[in-house]
Amino acid sequence: MRLYRALSVRELEISVAKYMELWDICKDADTDTMSVEDLIIELRAGGLAPEHEYQLVQTLMKESGQLHFTDFVTYIPLFILLHRSITANPLDDRRYI
């Protein structure tokens, strides 16, 4: 599945706005970051396999234990995939991604 293609400036602006909306859903309003616990919840809800979950948490949380917006944007294809998985079938508890 291809998530990106050549974008016009307007399409890029819309995409960034949507990424910020997704970030607002995921982040803690008080700290403007995502905790390890919240990240794990998102990964599990989206169906990420346990071995990938462990590796991703180790990679993203290696320094501060918090996920910041810049980290989130770096991994936006993954978060879009997880969000689509959650919204497509919110009661599916299989972990296959």
Side-chain angles (χ1 to χ4, degrees):
M1 167 187 354
R2 187 172 175 191
L3 295 176
Y4 292 104
R5 58 181 173 72
L7 299 174
S8 70
V9 172
R10 178 69 180 135
E11 290 173 322
L12 185 59
E13 181 181 346
I14 291 169
S15 295
V16 170
K18 289 184 180 198
Y19 301 158
M20 291 181 76
E21 285 177 29
L22 186 55
W23 172 248
D24 286 340
I25 292 169
C26 297
K27 72 174 178 136
D28 180 302
D30 295 331
T31 63
D32 206 32
T33 62
M34 183 186 282
S35 68
V36 173
E37 294 82 14
D38 290 339
L39 175 63
I40 290 171
I41 290 169
E42 291 295 324
L43 298 176
R44 289 181 181 173
L48 193 68
E51 60 272 12
H52 298 134
E53 173 191 315
Y54 176 79
Q55 183 65 39
L56 189 62
V57 169
Q58 294 303 312
T59 301
L60 289 175
M61 301 296 189
K62 61 184 170 192
E63 292 178 14
S64 67
Q66 301 288 320
L67 185 72
H68 298 274
F69 181 70
T70 53
D71 303 317
F72 180 80
V73 171
T74 302
Y75 286 86
I76 198 66
L78 172 65
F79 287 106
I80 291 171
L81 182 65
L82 294 173
H83 181 72
R84 288 180 181 166
S85 174
I86 293 168
T87 56
N89 194 353
L91 301 178
D92 187 0
D93 64 352
R94 292 176 292 148
R95 298 182 66 192
Y96 52 86
I97 296 176

